[in-house]
Amino acid sequence: HTPPATMTLTSGTSGRGLDFFSGCESAYQQAFQLFVGHEARSSWSSLRRVLHRHLGLLHELPLQTLNDRLKKFPFVDPQPFDDLLAEIVDALAAWLRRVLEPSWVTSCIEQLARLAGSPNAEDEAELLSRFEYQLPLKLRELQTMMRPFMEVQTSHHVDGADAIASELVRSLLQIHHIVEIWDRALTAHFLAVLRSGFGARDAQGRVTALAALCATVEMTPFEVAHHLSRVSTETFTVPPREIEAVHAQLSDLEQQRIFRGPPTLTLELGLRPVDAMQGPESVPGLMEARTEAMQWWYNQGFDSAAPTRILGASLLKHLVDCQLHPDPWVAEMVPRTLERIYGLYMSCDAFMNRLLLQFGGYTSGNKVEVPRGQGLPLLSDPGRVAESLLVFLRNWDAAMEAAEQEEMQRNKIANSFKKQTVKRASKFNMTTYLENMKESGHGVNEVVDLLEGAQPIPDHIFCVSSDGRRYCIDEDMERRWEFLTERGQEIVERLQKHDRDLGPYVRLDTQDEGELTRAWDGLYREDACCLTNPDTLRAAKANYMITDDSDPEDDDGEVRLLEQDDVSDYFGLSLVDAPPELDQSALVSFLRRQEMMTSRRCLQGLPLLPWCLGSDFRNTLVLDGNAQGVRRFQCVLKKSKRQDKRVSLVPVDSRAMSFIVLPKYQRFQVRDGDRLVCHNWSCEVQLEPDFETSTAKLALLTQDGTRFESPPEGCHVGAGAASLQQPMQPAFPRAKLVVDDPSHDIAQVHLAFFYDAPMNRWTVVDHSPHPQGALLALKAGVAYPLSRGLQLLFGPMLLRCELDTEGWRNEM
């Protein structure tokens, strides 16, 4: 197989793609669109993750290798291969698209209600999630097409074609088994719902069956309420009391799902597909090992998730407590390797169903075989844990070193293209351009003669070189691929390179007429859809002047971050409000002082980002109070992956009360999966992108089953049928989602949504009169980009994002 030093990324990052199989490449890009932009949705996350990983590995390793190999031989016609491979990918994408459709679960329940009492009801129910494409037969056809190129004694022999075809078929069969196992799991739930009945006396069994289905699909309580409220047929609807009963069972079933793992757990452990259908209980010793792992997780004070470095440190501390002292190399590499593979954040689900599977699969020093997934008996056998950690590090060490070397090389190449001294235009050198054009050694006339057949193709072109090694996707190659593509990292990065920072935001009291007048600064217009920061307005009105880009100060005197600045040195959180019970916290007492914040200037010794914040002493910023709503591990603050001058916030605990307070009368970008909380009412934003036209449609989902689709010009949310614009209030679109329930305390114009077509961006403007009338609920594992002036609500504590620029650059 490919040697470690020469393995490079394929189409996922380098941009090569399947240029020989163009139809297959197009089908793959359409399939990958099912995963792009919807990562923040909680439902189907296990199915999305496993298929995204295996489809990506298939696309970037065996398919890319076959593409690059066959295109070197002029006698190979790509059309038959291209058509067949595109057909296979389209069939897989069609099944996945059908299952991931937001209304699919609702429509399936409605269809089951209609089938109740029918003699063929169970047969019909089995077809709801059936993957009917005969993939094994198509793979036999693919092998037949490859056979002529495997014959050694013919002139059409392609060296290594048999090995590449074998890996390609194996990868496709693995995907087929994954789809088949999920199909059977969903069918079992549908049959349970059907057998429970749809009469009034069948409520208890029906609630249990529906709760089990929702837990397998990984729905949140909000999604459960929305989808079950939409179930409506001539004979059956889900009553509100049954929805509440499903909610009551959902938490326990979610814990059971994490403990037992996804339907494909045993398949990922390496069992045969026939054995994988029997569940994890069929594997001797597996459930005992998983019980110990989960018990240890909760003994460490972790809940739904934990920062990865703290998890690694806890593993090492556990060994020390058991009188096993790791050497310095192990102590350094365990947190570093875990963070590199899984990112800064690891959920309990990832710990149980991804990390745990990495331990085992070796023969111990005392000649005992340790099965995969059973290498961490943290409570019963610390010695095996130490040995498993060492094997784990040795397995990943070579991949980690190769990945870091390739990253350094890519960064070196990328930095060579950065502009250095030229600011307003580029210097064009005709001589250099012509020399680059002639680097191949062939002139234009020679290329024309080759294309027209006037000059024969040299013999060495047909003699494609080969290194003589058999192509094989082994565990080492998969690890390198995981490192380089970062598919194992769990944090959902929402900030893109082209996204604009809409801040800085100003704090505004919409009930204070004088403050509104000062904020508008004489530029109020009735058709203005939002308020712009006054400092930004003054800078925009100033005369444009070409200045030195190294000047740290803008025209208005504001210090901005330069290219060489690290945002870790400037970012901080200041205290806006906190309850008296938090005064005993040393951090809160420090922040109550005038002009103090959690910056590196104010807190001496504070490390560079990332920072962990919570009540546990292992955090970087410790909120050592007893305020309700502050969790052990509240969030992680880190540098944004795609814009290194911005900071993102990643909530850690899914049960934590973490919110962003929407700024008054100012635009804030919303993305797919965002949940907005307005007092006792909430809605979820659903964006459906159209990749062909580079547009997106917005829909608002509510807990009572309402789905409101916004027109392209936008909409607003409020009480009452009519909405009137008040003095000094920005304009809002006419379309309205009406919320009439007075208990929700919704204003006449509460939220306004706008679409920016040039940026393909949806934004929301908060019109509510209450200071915290509109909140963005933060989901665990999702990275939310922050801006200056943005307010964060952690339980009862209100913080504001700041840039601490006072005196820092002079000190440096």
Side-chain angles (χ1 to χ4, degrees), residues 1 61-62 65-70 73 146-152 156-168 464-473:
H1 65 274
L61 291 183
T65 305
L66 182 66
N67 175 92
D68 296 344
R69 192 70 181 164
L70 293 186
F73 297 88
M146 289 292 299
R147 187 171 300 278
F149 307 108
M150 301 179 188
E151 300 294 337
V152 180
H156 293 79
H157 173 68
V158 177
D159 190 27
D162 57 338
I164 300 173
S166 175
E167 292 296 337
L168 178 60
V464 181
S465 61
S466 173
D467 57 8
R469 286 173 288 188
R470 182 177 177 84
Y471 180 77
C472 175
I473 303 177

Side-chain angles (χ1 to χ4, degrees), residues 42-43 102 105-106 109 207 210-231 238-240 242-251 253-254 684 701-705:
S42 302
S43 57
V105 173
T106 301
I109 296 174
V207 165
L210 289 175
L213 172 62
C214 294
T216 299
V217 177
E218 300 167 78
M219 290 187 184
T220 63
F222 181 93
E223 291 172 324
V224 169
H226 173 77
H227 291 297
L228 294 186
S229 297
R230 290 182 66 84
V231 175
V238 183
E242 291 189 19
I243 297 177
E244 294 176 1
V246 170
H247 282 171
Q249 297 186 22
L250 199 61
S251 178
L253 290 173
E254 175 68 13
E684 187 163 298
L701 314 182
T702 66
Q703 285 185 302
D704 61 3

Side-chain angles (χ1 to χ4, degrees), residues 359-541:
F359 293 95
Y362 66 93
T363 302
S364 64
N366 54 1
K367 308 302 181 182
V368 175
E369 184 178 352
V370 181
R372 188 179 177 188
Q374 302 181 36
L376 280 186
L378 288 155
L379 304 180
S380 62
D381 194 349
R384 178 179 290 185
V385 173
E387 189 173 7
S388 297
L389 274 175
L390 193 59
V391 173
F392 171 78
L393 292 178
R394 287 172 177 169
N395 288 339
W396 285 92
D397 181 52
M400 188 168 178
E401 182 179 356
E404 289 178 347
Q405 289 178 356
E406 185 166 341
E407 263 191 4
M408 291 175 60
Q409 184 66 21
R410 288 205 313 269
N411 292 337
K412 184 178 179 180
I413 295 174
N415 291 334
S416 66
F417 289 98
K418 288 185 177 180
K419 59 181 183 179
Q420 299 176 357
T421 59
V422 180
K423 302 181 182 302
R424 299 296 171 184
S426 60
K427 295 179 179 179
F428 181 75
N429 191 319
M430 177 61 74
T431 304
T432 305
Y433 174 75
L434 292 176
E435 288 177 354
N436 292 335
M437 291 290 292
K438 298 177 181 179
E439 277 185 355
S440 63
H442 298 285
V444 176
N445 295 331
E446 291 180 283
V447 176
V448 172
D449 290 342
L450 286 172
L451 293 176
E452 293 180 348
Q455 182 175 340
I457 299 175
D459 293 337
H460 71 274
I461 299 297
F462 294 96
C463 300
V464 181
S465 61
S466 173
D467 57 8
R469 286 173 288 188
R470 182 177 177 84
Y471 180 77
C472 175
I473 303 177
D474 56 8
E475 292 184 354
D476 184 59
M477 184 181 288
E478 286 195 29
R479 292 190 193 102
R480 296 169 191 274
W481 177 81
E482 290 253 7
F483 259 126
L484 297 172
T485 58
E486 298 182 344
R487 289 287 168 84
Q489 300 199 6
E490 199 171 3
I491 293 178
V492 178
E493 296 285 347
R494 315 197 75 186
L495 184 67
Q496 304 300 322
K497 287 184 178 181
H498 61 270
D499 287 344
R500 179 185 171 188
D501 187 352
L502 299 181
Y505 295 105
V506 295
R507 193 178 182 184
L508 187 64
D509 183 2
T510 58
Q511 305 303 302
D512 188 335
E513 186 176 347
E515 186 173 336
L516 283 176
T517 303
R518 289 190 298 272
W520 282 107
D521 198 18
L523 295 178
Y524 173 76
R525 303 190 318 271
E526 289 188 356
D527 60 344
C529 62
C530 65
L531 170 72
T532 306
N533 187 298
D535 294 335
T536 305
L537 283 176
R538 281 192 293 270
K541 291 190 296 182

Side-chain angles (χ1 to χ4, degrees), residues 497-737:
K497 287 184 178 181
H498 61 270
D499 287 344
R500 179 185 171 188
D501 187 352
L502 299 181
Y505 295 105
V506 295
R507 193 178 182 184
L508 187 64
D509 183 2
T510 58
Q511 305 303 302
D512 188 335
E513 186 176 347
E515 186 173 336
L516 283 176
T517 303
R518 289 190 298 272
W520 282 107
D521 198 18
L523 295 178
Y524 173 76
R525 303 190 318 271
E526 289 188 356
D527 60 344
C529 62
C530 65
L531 170 72
T532 306
N533 187 298
D535 294 335
T536 305
L537 283 176
R538 281 192 293 270
K541 291 190 296 182
N543 293 329
Y544 178 75
M545 297 179 61
I546 300 178
T547 59
D548 184 5
D549 285 354
S550 63
D551 186 4
E553 294 198 4
D554 290 329
D555 295 337
D556 56 2
E558 180 186 356
V559 179
R560 68 172 187 268
L561 298 185
L562 304 179
E563 185 176 354
Q564 68 271 18
D565 291 332
D566 191 335
V567 70
S568 301
D569 296 328
Y570 300 92
F571 179 79
L573 297 174
S574 63
L575 182 66
V576 178
D577 189 24
E581 57 264 27
L582 274 178
D583 287 344
Q584 56 184 323
S585 169
L587 181 61
V588 173
S589 299
F590 171 79
L591 293 177
R592 284 196 187 278
R593 303 177 191 173
Q594 188 175 8
E595 297 183 355
M596 285 299 176
M597 63 182 72
T598 62
S599 65
R600 299 189 70 210
R601 180 184 66 86
C602 296
L603 284 174
Q604 297 297 320
L606 188 66
L608 296 174
L609 291 168
W611 304 334
C612 303
L613 186 146
S615 61
D616 193 277
F617 71 94
R618 292 168 286 185
N619 288 291
T620 314
L621 300 171
V622 182
L623 295 169
D624 50 347
N626 297 318
Q628 185 179 3
V630 179
R631 310 290 293 184
R632 283 177 173 266
F633 303 99
Q634 188 85 16
C635 66
V636 173
L637 295 164
K638 71 179 194 71
K639 286 196 286 187
S640 295
K641 197 169 186 178
R642 298 182 178 94
Q643 295 185 23
D644 59 357
K645 293 298 184 290
R646 293 189 66 181
V647 176
S648 292
L649 182 147
V650 183
V652 174
D653 197 328
S654 61
R655 302 179 184 180
M657 298 172 58
S658 301
F659 302 93
I660 290 177
V661 181
L662 296 186
K664 300 296 180 185
Y665 287 177
Q666 299 162 79
R667 286 195 173 193
F668 181 85
Q669 185 172 355
V670 291
R671 297 172 173 87
D672 183 72
D674 282 346
R675 190 161 70 89
L676 304 177
V677 179
C678 306
H679 303 298
N680 298 324
W681 180 85
S682 63
C683 68
E684 187 163 298
V685 175
Q686 189 174 93
L687 299 182
E688 293 297 337
D690 186 339
F691 293 94
E692 293 184 359
T693 60
S694 297
T695 58
K697 297 179 180 179
L698 178 138
L700 300 178
L701 314 182
T702 66
Q703 285 185 302
D704 61 3
T706 301
R707 176 186 172 86
F708 180 84
E709 296 186 0
S710 170
E713 61 270 15
C715 64
H716 72 280
V717 178
S723 301
L724 299 177
Q725 185 175 0
Q726 303 299 321
M728 293 292 178
Q729 182 183 15
F732 46 86
R734 288 191 162 208
K736 183 174 185 178
L737 171 59

Side-chain angles (χ1 to χ4, degrees), residues 49-61:
R49 178 188 63 82
V50 68
L51 281 182
H52 192 197
R53 179 189 183 279
H54 283 276
L55 282 172
L57 186 138
L58 169 69
H59 179 251
E60 297 172 17
L61 291 183

